[in-house]
Amino acid sequence: MKIVDATVFVCCPGRNFVTLRIMTEDGVYGLGDATLNGRELAVASYLTDHIVPLLIGRDARRIEDIWQFLYKGAYWRRGPVTMAAIGAVDTALWDILGKALNTPIYQLIGGASREAVMVYGHANGSTADETIAAVKRYVDLGYLAVRAQCAVPGLAATYGVGRGELYYEPAEPGLPPETPWSSERYLAFVPSLFDGLRREFGSALHLLHDVHHRLTPIEAARLGKSLEPHHLFWLEDPTPAEVQESFRTIRRHTTTPIAVGEVFNTIYDCSRLVEEELIDYIRMTVVHSGGISHLRKIAALAELHHVRTGAHGATDLSPVCLAAALHFDLSVHNFGIQEYMRHTDETDRVFPHAYTFERGFMHPGNKPGLGVDLDERLAATFPYQRAYLPINRKLDGTMHSW
Ligand code: CS2
Ligand code: MG
């Protein structure tokens, strides 16, 4: 099953996506998501200029060998651009294998371990009351788990507070918008938000919150401790995770479950966090972590240490990634939860797919391979528009994590 061609598509149906299509001599093709929000063209070039020439003539069924060839053969290892490119190739090769065997991918990686995949939605608001009302809308849609984000009183803009009800897209056309940040104001406000949410919804609803890398370890420990009475499902990205040891401080002070990993790209980024059991959920997903093959290895290490998966699923991960993630989620033993930020209707039209949502759960469907396609003609009507994620500065102007 020789690879005879590979093409990279960059389109912007409401936001930018990078998609790799690998074609075999038999006419069977596979898709991979290679979207890196705010740096899309870097991955598109890495694929087109450096990886595609290496794929032509190879056997598409040699998934593991091609992964190792692209990882070790580059000499320069790891990093978001390299691993998103390798992830796209890996995902496309699994798609090809599934189509060639007329089998959905989850059946190729161990079959279903559950009937469906529990997902969480993103509720947000400019005030605590607006956020409570937004959570209610998700509960009415049948979600059992909802992430709650709210503007911080006294700050002009805050991560996670989007435009519109069901969609949240942080990247904006043009140069990066600057937003002001105050950890003090944030820490003073968030406990009251969850006081209100628990009063409104009781203890059964899974509530999640994303700190988005903004606190120091001891500030994160303080926040985790203050939220303990509310039994969060998880507190996400409490502190920047380049220094994995920082999480020892958080673990020492609080029992609030911790989720980390959406910005990681190989198992090496999380191995200490997992082996020292400093986290409870690993957020890595297919597109940014080297594809299905590498994500399975990460989940296997996590399983040894009671760490469950909680794959990233924001709008900047295309339906190709979401489909692959759902096949992985359905099968992996130590599944925790899947993030599900709905895509826009125009995105769903560009990427017709078999996966479904019903009352808080999703399923990848039973089409061969991924069960997602790319409408190339429609994609071409949405040309790339350079966009950047915002940046954060403290009130005194010091650069901070967004
Ligand atoms: C967020 C993302 O979904 C999440 O948990 O952290 O929305 C993140 O901000 C975006 O994926 C960045 O592109
Ligand atoms: Mg996050």
Side-chain angles (χ1 to χ4, degrees):
M1 185 166 250
K2 276 200 182 349
I3 296 170
V4 295
D5 191 16
T7 311
V8 177
F9 299 90
V10 183
C11 66
C12 188
R15 62 141 295 107
N16 293 308
F17 293 110
V18 180
T19 308
L20 171 70
R21 185 181 67 199
I22 296 179
M23 181 67 74
T24 65
E25 61 192 334
D26 317 79
V28 177
Y29 64 88
L31 297 178
D33 182 17
T35 306
L36 189 64
N37 203 356
R39 297 297 186 272
E40 292 87 356
L41 298 187
V43 188
S45 166
Y46 192 103
L47 284 165
T48 302
D49 299 322
H50 302 296
I51 282 195
V52 167
L54 301 175
L55 294 176
I56 308 305
R58 290 185 184 277
D59 182 342
R61 292 166 300 183
R62 298 187 64 175
I63 299 175
E64 181 66 17
D65 181 61
I66 290 174
W67 195 99
Q68 298 294 345
F69 173 78
L70 295 178
Y71 182 78
K72 293 184 167 69
Y75 187 73
W76 313 105
R77 300 180 182 190
R78 304 168 69 181
V81 174
T82 299
M83 297 317 294
I86 294 177
V89 172
D90 184 80
T91 307
L93 295 179
W94 278 106
D95 193 15
I96 289 168
L97 185 62
K99 288 176 177 177
L101 299 175
N102 194 31
T103 304
I105 287 175
Y106 75 85
Q107 297 288 21
L108 300 178
I109 56 175
S113 298
R114 53 199 56 80
E115 302 315 310
V117 170
M118 182 170 76
V119 296
Y120 73 88
H122 273 210
N124 64 76
S126 302
T127 64
D129 287 345
E130 268 189 29
T131 304
I132 289 171
V135 169
K136 178 78 169 56
R137 283 193 290 276
Y138 278 91
V139 170
D140 292 344
L141 287 170
Y143 284 81
L144 303 180
V146 184
R147 188 188 86 164
Q149 305 292 137
C150 185
V152 174
L155 295 182
T158 301
Y159 162 72
V161 182
R163 303 178 293 275
E165 286 189 355
L166 283 183
Y167 305 114
Y168 170 62
E169 173 47 62
E172 299 198 24
L175 296 177
E178 294 205 1
T179 57
W181 177 251
S182 160
S183 295
E184 295 75 11
R185 295 182 189 182
Y186 170 76
L187 286 166
F189 171 68
V190 170
S192 64
L193 171 68
F194 284 91
D195 286 341
L197 285 163
R198 276 299 178 220
R199 263 199 309 278
E200 179 71 21
F201 298 104
S203 58
L205 177 65
H206 293 310
L207 288 174
L208 302 84
H209 183 65
D210 192 346
V211 183
H212 220 259
H213 325 276
R214 301 181 177 192
L215 299 179
T216 63
I218 200 64
E219 288 171 340
R222 172 182 152 196
L223 178 61
K225 206 174 182 69
S226 70
L227 294 174
E228 280 179 13
H230 305 308
H231 304 295
L232 264 58
F233 185 88
W234 80 35
L235 188 65
E236 178 182 343
D237 284 331
T239 194
E242 290 94 325
V243 181
Q244 297 183 49
E245 293 81 356
S246 301
F247 286 74
R248 291 175 186 155
T249 301
I250 303 170
R251 212 45 155 192
R252 195 178 302 129
H253 290 284
T254 180
T255 58
T256 294
I258 302 296
V260 181
E262 69 181 50
V263 297
F264 293 169
N265 46 76
T266 67
I267 198 166
Y268 306 105
D269 292 333
C270 70
S271 53
R272 185 182 297 268
L273 286 170
V274 170
E275 288 165 349
E276 290 191 23
E277 301 178 8
L278 299 176
I279 61 173
D280 303 282
Y281 296 91
I282 183 68
R283 292 272 287 139
M284 299 172 81
T285 194
V286 174
V287 58
H288 299 133
S289 310
I292 294 170
S293 300
H294 197 55
L295 196 58
R296 293 177 74 200
K297 296 177 181 180
I298 292 162
L301 174 67
E303 182 183 343
L304 299 182
H305 294 282
H306 316 286
V307 175
R308 286 176 282 177
T309 66
H312 188 202
T315 46
D316 46 290
L317 285 60
S318 87
V320 176
C321 177
L322 180 54
L326 289 169
H327 283 280
F328 170 79
D329 293 338
L330 194 67
S331 178
V332 69
H333 171 67
N334 51 320
F335 169 75
I337 198 167
Q338 168 67 47
E339 179 178 8
Y340 177 43
M341 268 201 205
R342 292 162 185 262
H343 292 106
T344 60
D345 295 340
E346 52 194 358
T347 295
D348 285 343
R349 286 197 296 276
V350 170
F351 296 97
H353 51 265
Y355 58 74
T356 53
F357 168 86
E358 187 177 350
R359 304 223 38 91
F361 288 80
M362 294 188 80
H363 192 283
N366 284 293
K367 287 270 185 72
L370 286 172
V372 64
D373 209 339
L374 169 69
D375 182 328
E376 187 180 337
R377 205 182 306 280
L378 183 59
T381 66
F382 298 106
Y384 168 76
Q385 280 184 12
R386 190 170 65 191
Y388 288 99
L389 285 170
I391 63 138
N392 239 357
R393 287 187 182 272
K394 290 183 179 176
L395 299 182
D396 69 357
T398 306
M399 264 304 289
H400 196 62
S401 302
W402 169 72

